[in-house]
Every structure is written in C-alpha cells, then in structure tokens.
Amino acid sequence: ASLGVITYAMFTEHGRVGAISRKWRIAAGSVMLLAGVFVLLSGPSGLTGRQNIWPAFWDLWLTSPVLGVGTTGIATSGGLTQTFGHAHSMYLDLLTRNGIIAFSLVMAALALGIGIAFVAALRGQPGPLALLSAYLVTAITEPRNDWLHPGVLVLMAIICVLIAAAFLQGRRTSENPDRSLSTSLASPQ
C-alpha cells in the first residue's frame, strides 16, 4: 500500500504534492521506497520462512524448467513444496507450476501493461501505475494468481491497464483530432 501511495505522489499533477517538482518527488519517493525495503528485510520477521520455501520450489522447478511441474507435481512432490502447496511468491510459483514459457508470456504481458501505465503516469494519470506497482511488489512474497483461471487480482491488473490506455487514447484524441473528418467537412463535394 505504501508503494502505491508513494508512486502516486511521485507522478501526480494535482494538489499540493503535484505542485512540487516531479524530479524532487521521484528522488524523495525512491529514498522512501529503499528505506522501506531495508526496514522490511531487516525486521525480526524477515522473510517468515520463505528463505526455506523458495529454495525448495526453485529445486522443484529445476526438475521441469520448460513446462513446469503443474499443480499435481507440487501436490505429490513431498517436503516443503507439498506441505505449502504454493511458493509464497507469484513469480516463483508461476515458474514452478507452469515453466519458463508461461512465465515469459505472463511477464511480457505485465511489462506491456506497466509500460502503458508508466506512460499514462508521465502524462498525468498515476493511479494505474500506483496500483500495478503495489500489486507487483506484493506478488514477490504472496499473492496467489492462477493465470489460467483469473481472479480478482488479475482482473484488477487488467482494469488498471485499460484505464491507463483509455486515458492515453483520450489525450491523443483531444491533442490530435481526426483530420480526415475535418478534411471531409471542409472539402466541397
């Protein structure tokens, strides 16, 4: 949540925060985000067992790196992977469960969405980037996403990208009205 709020503040053009130079907001936001990472990782809870879970899922992924082991492979794997049933990381779980091919496709789609949201943030609509940033960072340690049967989190990511794209399309249309319409109205027939 903090990441989303900080990202929004870094790119907003509204209110008192928007009146501050964007370069200063980005610098201050970056420092706050790095401090937050340090505090989270150096705290007493640390990675709360993930330092054991992640290597187990990594080793399981290595048994079938291209296509993954699937849900059945995790359920019958034994040890920590079978006990937890999920890697406690969207990225590692996707990699283990579905392999490098599916992982690459999902990451490419997310990168495209982040790119669209980033451009929208630069042009005055930081909301989608703020939500996507929070989602992607939270996904490092927890969210369950079944990309074959999308749920609420995947829907939220898609809606964020659609909002950003609609904003950019609206700006493009208002900045460069359709010349063919104005040309056809001006020319005698």
Side-chain angles (χ1 to χ4, degrees):
S2 297
L3 172 67
V5 170
I6 291 169
T7 301
Y8 189 87
M10 289 167 61
F11 291 99
T12 189
E13 294 178 352
H14 305 287
R16 292 181 182 160
V17 175
I20 300 169
S21 167
R22 182 179 284 172
K23 91 175 163 182
W24 288 109
R25 286 182 282 141
I26 289 175
S30 298
V31 168
M32 286 190 284
L33 293 175
L34 288 173
V37 168
F38 177 75
V39 167
L40 287 173
L41 292 179
S42 65
S45 62
L47 292 172
T48 59
R50 289 173 179 85
Q51 67 273 17
N52 298 321
I53 298 169
W54 288 348
F57 272 87
W58 182 262
D59 291 342
L60 183 58
W61 169 67
L62 290 175
T63 65
S64 181
V66 176
L67 297 176
V69 299
T71 301
T72 303
I74 293 171
T76 60
S77 61
L80 285 175
T81 53
Q82 183 177 4
T83 300
F84 287 96
H86 185 272
H88 287 63
S89 167
M90 175 185 78
Y91 307 107
L92 185 55
D93 193 75
L94 177 62
L95 194 60
T96 304
R97 198 174 298 274
N98 300 310
I100 194 73
I101 294 171
F103 178 84
S104 298
L105 292 172
V106 169
M107 292 304 113
L110 287 172
L112 177 62
I114 284 289
I116 292 168
F118 182 73
V119 172
L122 289 175
R123 295 188 182 168
Q125 177 62 286
L129 181 63
L131 287 170
L132 285 172
S133 298
Y135 165 71
L136 293 174
V137 168
T138 303
I140 293 170
T141 59
E142 193 51 43
R144 293 177 181 244
N145 290 292
D146 184 351
W147 293 94
L148 298 176
H149 307 96
V152 173
L153 294 174
V154 174
L155 180 62
M156 181 201 71
I158 292 168
I159 289 171
C160 285
V161 175
L162 290 174
I163 289 169
F167 172 79
L168 292 173
Q169 182 62 33
R171 280 188 59 111
R172 191 172 130 222
T173 303
S174 67
E175 291 171 359
N176 300 316
D178 185 10
R179 296 184 78 167
S180 63
L181 178 60
S182 61
T183 305
S184 66
L185 293 175
S187 65
Q189 292 188 0

mmCIF file of all heavy atoms in Angstrom, residues 93-132:
data_model
loop_
_atom_site.group_PDB
_atom_site.id
_atom_site.type_symbol
_atom_site.label_atom_id
_atom_site.label_comp_id
_atom_site.label_asym_id
_atom_site.label_seq_id
_atom_site.Cartn_x
_atom_site.Cartn_y
_atom_site.Cartn_z
ATOM 1 N N ASP A 93 6.102 -19.224 -7.993
ATOM 2 C CA ASP A 93 5.022 -20.192 -8.141
ATOM 3 C C ASP A 93 4.666 -20.389 -9.610
ATOM 4 O O ASP A 93 4.489 -21.514 -10.067
ATOM 5 C CB ASP A 93 3.795 -19.747 -7.350
ATOM 6 C CG ASP A 93 2.786 -20.872 -7.220
ATOM 7 O OD1 ASP A 93 3.037 -21.790 -6.408
ATOM 8 O OD2 ASP A 93 1.765 -20.839 -7.934
ATOM 9 N N LEU A 94 4.567 -19.299 -10.341
ATOM 10 C CA LEU A 94 4.269 -19.378 -11.769
ATOM 11 C C LEU A 94 5.358 -20.160 -12.502
ATOM 12 O O LEU A 94 5.071 -21.015 -13.335
ATOM 13 C CB LEU A 94 4.146 -17.964 -12.350
ATOM 14 C CG LEU A 94 3.896 -17.827 -13.840
ATOM 15 C CD1 LEU A 94 2.576 -18.465 -14.232
ATOM 16 C CD2 LEU A 94 3.909 -16.355 -14.237
ATOM 17 N N LEU A 95 6.595 -19.873 -12.174
ATOM 18 C CA LEU A 95 7.718 -20.559 -12.793
ATOM 19 C C LEU A 95 7.688 -22.055 -12.488
ATOM 20 O O LEU A 95 7.826 -22.887 -13.390
ATOM 21 C CB LEU A 95 9.023 -19.932 -12.286
ATOM 22 C CG LEU A 95 10.307 -20.236 -13.013
ATOM 23 C CD1 LEU A 95 10.231 -19.782 -14.459
ATOM 24 C CD2 LEU A 95 11.467 -19.542 -12.315
ATOM 25 N N THR A 96 7.494 -22.410 -11.225
ATOM 26 C CA THR A 96 7.486 -23.816 -10.827
ATOM 27 C C THR A 96 6.286 -24.552 -11.400
ATOM 28 O O THR A 96 6.407 -25.643 -11.941
ATOM 29 C CB THR A 96 7.470 -23.941 -9.287
ATOM 30 O OG1 THR A 96 8.581 -23.230 -8.755
ATOM 31 C CG2 THR A 96 7.541 -25.387 -8.852
ATOM 32 N N ARG A 97 5.134 -23.939 -11.298
ATOM 33 C CA ARG A 97 3.891 -24.588 -11.703
ATOM 34 C C ARG A 97 3.763 -24.698 -13.224
ATOM 35 O O ARG A 97 3.337 -25.719 -13.758
ATOM 36 C CB ARG A 97 2.725 -23.785 -11.139
ATOM 37 C CG ARG A 97 1.411 -24.490 -11.077
ATOM 38 C CD ARG A 97 0.374 -23.621 -10.359
ATOM 39 N NE ARG A 97 0.727 -23.334 -8.981
ATOM 40 C CZ ARG A 97 0.448 -24.109 -7.941
ATOM 41 N NH1 ARG A 97 -0.207 -25.228 -8.125
ATOM 42 N NH2 ARG A 97 0.807 -23.763 -6.717
ATOM 43 N N ASN A 98 4.144 -23.638 -13.950
ATOM 44 C CA ASN A 98 3.870 -23.578 -15.400
ATOM 45 C C ASN A 98 5.104 -23.496 -16.284
ATOM 46 O O ASN A 98 4.982 -23.507 -17.502
ATOM 47 C CB ASN A 98 2.947 -22.395 -15.694
ATOM 48 C CG ASN A 98 1.638 -22.516 -14.965
ATOM 49 O OD1 ASN A 98 0.993 -23.555 -15.025
ATOM 50 N ND2 ASN A 98 1.246 -21.488 -14.246
ATOM 51 N N GLY A 99 6.296 -23.325 -15.721
ATOM 52 C CA GLY A 99 7.516 -23.333 -16.507
ATOM 53 C C GLY A 99 7.891 -21.992 -17.109
ATOM 54 O O GLY A 99 7.149 -21.003 -17.013
ATOM 55 N N ILE A 100 9.030 -21.984 -17.742
ATOM 56 C CA ILE A 100 9.620 -20.748 -18.265
ATOM 57 C C ILE A 100 8.817 -20.159 -19.425
ATOM 58 O O ILE A 100 8.778 -18.938 -19.591
ATOM 59 C CB ILE A 100 11.100 -20.962 -18.667
ATOM 60 C CG1 ILE A 100 11.820 -19.634 -18.882
ATOM 61 C CG2 ILE A 100 11.238 -21.831 -19.887
ATOM 62 C CD1 ILE A 100 12.124 -18.895 -17.624
ATOM 63 N N ILE A 101 8.156 -20.998 -20.201
ATOM 64 C CA ILE A 101 7.386 -20.486 -21.339
ATOM 65 C C ILE A 101 6.211 -19.648 -20.837
ATOM 66 O O ILE A 101 6.043 -18.486 -21.237
ATOM 67 C CB ILE A 101 6.896 -21.632 -22.253
ATOM 68 C CG1 ILE A 101 8.090 -22.329 -22.918
ATOM 69 C CG2 ILE A 101 5.937 -21.104 -23.316
ATOM 70 C CD1 ILE A 101 7.738 -23.592 -23.666
ATOM 71 N N ALA A 102 5.408 -20.204 -19.953
ATOM 72 C CA ALA A 102 4.265 -19.456 -19.409
ATOM 73 C C ALA A 102 4.748 -18.253 -18.606
ATOM 74 O O ALA A 102 4.172 -17.169 -18.694
ATOM 75 C CB ALA A 102 3.409 -20.363 -18.532
ATOM 76 N N PHE A 103 5.815 -18.432 -17.838
ATOM 77 C CA PHE A 103 6.378 -17.328 -17.055
ATOM 78 C C PHE A 103 6.769 -16.172 -17.967
ATOM 79 O O PHE A 103 6.451 -15.013 -17.691
ATOM 80 C CB PHE A 103 7.597 -17.821 -16.264
ATOM 81 C CG PHE A 103 8.267 -16.757 -15.458
ATOM 82 C CD1 PHE A 103 7.795 -16.426 -14.198
ATOM 83 C CD2 PHE A 103 9.379 -16.088 -15.950
ATOM 84 C CE1 PHE A 103 8.416 -15.438 -13.443
ATOM 85 C CE2 PHE A 103 10.004 -15.110 -15.209
ATOM 86 C CZ PHE A 103 9.521 -14.774 -13.942
ATOM 87 N N SER A 104 7.436 -16.476 -19.063
ATOM 88 C CA SER A 104 7.866 -15.435 -20.005
ATOM 89 C C SER A 104 6.679 -14.713 -20.625
ATOM 90 O O SER A 104 6.708 -13.482 -20.776
ATOM 91 C CB SER A 104 8.728 -16.047 -21.113
ATOM 92 O OG SER A 104 9.885 -16.625 -20.565
ATOM 93 N N LEU A 105 5.642 -15.451 -20.976
ATOM 94 C CA LEU A 105 4.450 -14.825 -21.566
ATOM 95 C C LEU A 105 3.751 -13.905 -20.568
ATOM 96 O O LEU A 105 3.349 -12.789 -20.912
ATOM 97 C CB LEU A 105 3.484 -15.897 -22.075
ATOM 98 C CG LEU A 105 3.967 -16.703 -23.278
ATOM 99 C CD1 LEU A 105 3.026 -17.862 -23.560
ATOM 100 C CD2 LEU A 105 4.113 -15.810 -24.497
ATOM 101 N N VAL A 106 3.604 -14.360 -19.326
ATOM 102 C CA VAL A 106 2.952 -13.540 -18.304
ATOM 103 C C VAL A 106 3.793 -12.299 -18.009
ATOM 104 O O VAL A 106 3.271 -11.188 -17.902
ATOM 105 C CB VAL A 106 2.693 -14.359 -17.019
ATOM 106 C CG1 VAL A 106 2.262 -13.455 -15.867
ATOM 107 C CG2 VAL A 106 1.631 -15.424 -17.282
ATOM 108 N N MET A 107 5.103 -12.459 -17.901
ATOM 109 C CA MET A 107 5.968 -11.309 -17.619
ATOM 110 C C MET A 107 5.961 -10.306 -18.775
ATOM 111 O O MET A 107 5.975 -9.098 -18.558
ATOM 112 C CB MET A 107 7.411 -11.758 -17.323
ATOM 113 C CG MET A 107 7.556 -12.520 -16.015
ATOM 114 S SD MET A 107 6.961 -11.630 -14.571
ATOM 115 C CE MET A 107 5.553 -12.614 -14.113
ATOM 116 N N ALA A 108 5.884 -10.808 -20.004
ATOM 117 C CA ALA A 108 5.805 -9.905 -21.160
ATOM 118 C C ALA A 108 4.492 -9.110 -21.119
ATOM 119 O O ALA A 108 4.486 -7.896 -21.370
ATOM 120 C CB ALA A 108 5.911 -10.700 -22.459
ATOM 121 N N ALA A 109 3.396 -9.777 -20.795
ATOM 122 C CA ALA A 109 2.112 -9.083 -20.698
ATOM 123 C C ALA A 109 2.136 -8.049 -19.572
ATOM 124 O O ALA A 109 1.665 -6.922 -19.746
ATOM 125 C CB ALA A 109 0.986 -10.090 -20.474
ATOM 126 N N LEU A 110 2.705 -8.414 -18.432
ATOM 127 C CA LEU A 110 2.807 -7.468 -17.320
ATOM 128 C C LEU A 110 3.724 -6.294 -17.668
ATOM 129 O O LEU A 110 3.437 -5.148 -17.317
ATOM 130 C CB LEU A 110 3.295 -8.169 -16.054
ATOM 131 C CG LEU A 110 2.278 -9.085 -15.380
ATOM 132 C CD1 LEU A 110 2.922 -9.887 -14.257
ATOM 133 C CD2 LEU A 110 1.091 -8.297 -14.860
ATOM 134 N N ALA A 111 4.823 -6.568 -18.365
ATOM 135 C CA ALA A 111 5.732 -5.489 -18.769
ATOM 136 C C ALA A 111 5.037 -4.520 -19.722
ATOM 137 O O ALA A 111 5.190 -3.296 -19.595
ATOM 138 C CB ALA A 111 6.987 -6.073 -19.420
ATOM 139 N N LEU A 112 4.256 -5.046 -20.639
ATOM 140 C CA LEU A 112 3.497 -4.188 -21.554
ATOM 141 C C LEU A 112 2.509 -3.329 -20.762
ATOM 142 O O LEU A 112 2.400 -2.121 -20.988
ATOM 143 C CB LEU A 112 2.764 -5.030 -22.600
ATOM 144 C CG LEU A 112 1.884 -4.263 -23.576
ATOM 145 C CD1 LEU A 112 2.715 -3.291 -24.406
ATOM 146 C CD2 LEU A 112 1.126 -5.233 -24.468
ATOM 147 N N GLY A 113 1.807 -3.951 -19.835
ATOM 148 C CA GLY A 113 0.864 -3.207 -19.006
ATOM 149 C C GLY A 113 1.536 -2.135 -18.171
ATOM 150 O O GLY A 113 1.043 -1.001 -18.070
ATOM 151 N N ILE A 114 2.670 -2.460 -17.571
ATOM 152 C CA ILE A 114 3.420 -1.471 -16.778
ATOM 153 C C ILE A 114 3.900 -0.343 -17.686
ATOM 154 O O ILE A 114 3.866 0.828 -17.300
ATOM 155 C CB ILE A 114 4.620 -2.134 -16.061
ATOM 156 C CG1 ILE A 114 4.122 -2.939 -14.864
ATOM 157 C CG2 ILE A 114 5.645 -1.135 -15.606
ATOM 158 C CD1 ILE A 114 3.625 -2.103 -13.709
ATOM 159 N N GLY A 115 4.331 -0.670 -18.880
ATOM 160 C CA GLY A 115 4.769 0.364 -19.827
ATOM 161 C C GLY A 115 3.641 1.331 -20.156
ATOM 162 O O GLY A 115 3.831 2.554 -20.155
ATOM 163 N N ILE A 116 2.463 0.802 -20.418
ATOM 164 C CA ILE A 116 1.308 1.654 -20.718
ATOM 165 C C ILE A 116 0.963 2.515 -19.503
ATOM 166 O O ILE A 116 0.726 3.717 -19.628
ATOM 167 C CB ILE A 116 0.099 0.788 -21.155
ATOM 168 C CG1 ILE A 116 0.390 0.145 -22.513
ATOM 169 C CG2 ILE A 116 -1.184 1.605 -21.196
ATOM 170 C CD1 ILE A 116 -0.586 -0.952 -22.907
ATOM 171 N N ALA A 117 0.957 1.895 -18.327
ATOM 172 C CA ALA A 117 0.637 2.642 -17.103
ATOM 173 C C ALA A 117 1.698 3.693 -16.789
ATOM 174 O O ALA A 117 1.378 4.784 -16.308
ATOM 175 C CB ALA A 117 0.486 1.679 -15.929
ATOM 176 N N PHE A 118 2.953 3.400 -17.093
ATOM 177 C CA PHE A 118 4.035 4.356 -16.848
ATOM 178 C C PHE A 118 3.881 5.589 -17.742
ATOM 179 O O PHE A 118 4.016 6.724 -17.292
ATOM 180 C CB PHE A 118 5.400 3.698 -17.064
ATOM 181 C CG PHE A 118 6.558 4.605 -16.781
ATOM 182 C CD1 PHE A 118 6.888 4.947 -15.485
ATOM 183 C CD2 PHE A 118 7.304 5.132 -17.822
ATOM 184 C CE1 PHE A 118 7.951 5.791 -15.213
ATOM 185 C CE2 PHE A 118 8.374 5.975 -17.567
ATOM 186 C CZ PHE A 118 8.700 6.311 -16.258
ATOM 187 N N VAL A 119 3.583 5.369 -19.011
ATOM 188 C CA VAL A 119 3.372 6.492 -19.921
ATOM 189 C C VAL A 119 2.175 7.326 -19.464
ATOM 190 O O VAL A 119 2.216 8.558 -19.471
ATOM 191 C CB VAL A 119 3.193 6.006 -21.384
ATOM 192 C CG1 VAL A 119 2.777 7.138 -22.302
ATOM 193 C CG2 VAL A 119 4.487 5.354 -21.879
ATOM 194 N N ALA A 120 1.109 6.657 -19.040
ATOM 195 C CA ALA A 120 -0.062 7.382 -18.533
ATOM 196 C C ALA A 120 0.312 8.189 -17.287
ATOM 197 O O ALA A 120 -0.144 9.329 -17.123
ATOM 198 C CB ALA A 120 -1.200 6.419 -18.223
ATOM 199 N N ALA A 121 1.151 7.631 -16.417
ATOM 200 C CA ALA A 121 1.583 8.355 -15.215
ATOM 201 C C ALA A 121 2.389 9.591 -15.589
ATOM 202 O O ALA A 121 2.203 10.663 -15.005
ATOM 203 C CB ALA A 121 2.408 7.437 -14.312
ATOM 204 N N LEU A 122 3.263 9.438 -16.564
ATOM 205 C CA LEU A 122 4.059 10.593 -17.009
ATOM 206 C C LEU A 122 3.172 11.692 -17.590
ATOM 207 O O LEU A 122 3.523 12.872 -17.538
ATOM 208 C CB LEU A 122 5.091 10.165 -18.051
ATOM 209 C CG LEU A 122 6.262 9.333 -17.540
ATOM 210 C CD1 LEU A 122 7.126 8.874 -18.712
ATOM 211 C CD2 LEU A 122 7.087 10.106 -16.524
ATOM 212 N N ARG A 123 2.019 11.304 -18.125
ATOM 213 C CA ARG A 123 1.121 12.275 -18.760
ATOM 214 C C ARG A 123 -0.035 12.717 -17.855
ATOM 215 O O ARG A 123 -0.949 13.371 -18.320
ATOM 216 C CB ARG A 123 0.590 11.699 -20.064
ATOM 217 C CG ARG A 123 1.727 11.515 -21.054
ATOM 218 C CD ARG A 123 1.248 11.126 -22.399
ATOM 219 N NE ARG A 123 2.381 10.921 -23.279
ATOM 220 C CZ ARG A 123 2.303 10.354 -24.452
ATOM 221 N NH1 ARG A 123 1.132 9.956 -24.910
ATOM 222 N NH2 ARG A 123 3.374 10.197 -25.190
ATOM 223 N N GLY A 124 0.026 12.327 -16.576
ATOM 224 C CA GLY A 124 -0.945 12.869 -15.635
ATOM 225 C C GLY A 124 -1.947 11.910 -15.024
ATOM 226 O O GLY A 124 -2.838 12.333 -14.311
ATOM 227 N N GLN A 125 -1.833 10.606 -15.278
ATOM 228 C CA GLN A 125 -2.754 9.630 -14.700
ATOM 229 C C GLN A 125 -1.951 8.561 -13.946
ATOM 230 O O GLN A 125 -1.667 7.496 -14.471
ATOM 231 C CB GLN A 125 -3.599 8.998 -15.798
ATOM 232 C CG GLN A 125 -4.552 7.900 -15.350
ATOM 233 C CD GLN A 125 -5.584 8.356 -14.379
ATOM 234 O OE1 GLN A 125 -5.277 8.590 -13.217
ATOM 235 N NE2 GLN A 125 -6.812 8.491 -14.838
ATOM 236 N N PRO A 126 -1.535 8.840 -12.691
ATOM 237 C CA PRO A 126 -0.666 7.910 -11.972
ATOM 238 C C PRO A 126 -1.384 6.757 -11.274
ATOM 239 O O PRO A 126 -0.738 5.819 -10.825
ATOM 240 C CB PRO A 126 0.008 8.807 -10.932
ATOM 241 C CG PRO A 126 -1.000 9.864 -10.657
ATOM 242 C CD PRO A 126 -1.701 10.105 -11.971
ATOM 243 N N GLY A 127 -2.691 6.781 -11.185
ATOM 244 C CA GLY A 127 -3.430 5.752 -10.456
ATOM 245 C C GLY A 127 -3.148 4.325 -10.900
ATOM 246 O O GLY A 127 -2.818 3.475 -10.066
ATOM 247 N N PRO A 128 -3.259 4.024 -12.190
ATOM 248 C CA PRO A 128 -2.999 2.647 -12.624
ATOM 249 C C PRO A 128 -1.568 2.180 -12.312
ATOM 250 O O PRO A 128 -1.375 1.051 -11.868
ATOM 251 C CB PRO A 128 -3.238 2.696 -14.140
ATOM 252 C CG PRO A 128 -4.246 3.788 -14.308
ATOM 253 C CD PRO A 128 -3.856 4.822 -13.281
ATOM 254 N N LEU A 129 -0.581 3.045 -12.508
ATOM 255 C CA LEU A 129 0.792 2.658 -12.191
ATOM 256 C C LEU A 129 0.959 2.420 -10.696
ATOM 257 O O LEU A 129 1.649 1.480 -10.288
ATOM 258 C CB LEU A 129 1.788 3.726 -12.666
ATOM 259 C CG LEU A 129 3.259 3.406 -12.392
ATOM 260 C CD1 LEU A 129 3.685 2.150 -13.151
ATOM 261 C CD2 LEU A 129 4.141 4.583 -12.759
ATOM 262 N N ALA A 130 0.326 3.242 -9.874
ATOM 263 C CA ALA A 130 0.413 3.067 -8.420
ATOM 264 C C ALA A 130 -0.147 1.704 -8.004
ATOM 265 O O ALA A 130 0.482 0.973 -7.233
ATOM 266 C CB ALA A 130 -0.328 4.199 -7.712
ATOM 267 N N LEU A 131 -1.318 1.350 -8.529
ATOM 268 C CA LEU A 131 -1.916 0.057 -8.178
ATOM 269 C C LEU A 131 -1.106 -1.114 -8.717
ATOM 270 O O LEU A 131 -0.877 -2.104 -8.016
ATOM 271 C CB LEU A 131 -3.351 -0.018 -8.704
ATOM 272 C CG LEU A 131 -4.367 0.833 -7.953
ATOM 273 C CD1 LEU A 131 -5.692 0.858 -8.704
ATOM 274 C CD2 LEU A 131 -4.559 0.314 -6.550
ATOM 275 N N LEU A 132 -0.651 -1.013 -9.963
ATOM 276 C CA LEU A 132 0.147 -2.102 -10.538
ATOM 277 C C LEU A 132 1.472 -2.266 -9.804
ATOM 278 O O LEU A 132 1.932 -3.394 -9.595
ATOM 279 C CB LEU A 132 0.398 -1.852 -12.026
ATOM 280 C CG LEU A 132 -0.792 -2.093 -12.945
ATOM 281 C CD1 LEU A 132 -0.471 -1.630 -14.363
ATOM 282 C CD2 LEU A 132 -1.201 -3.548 -12.938
#
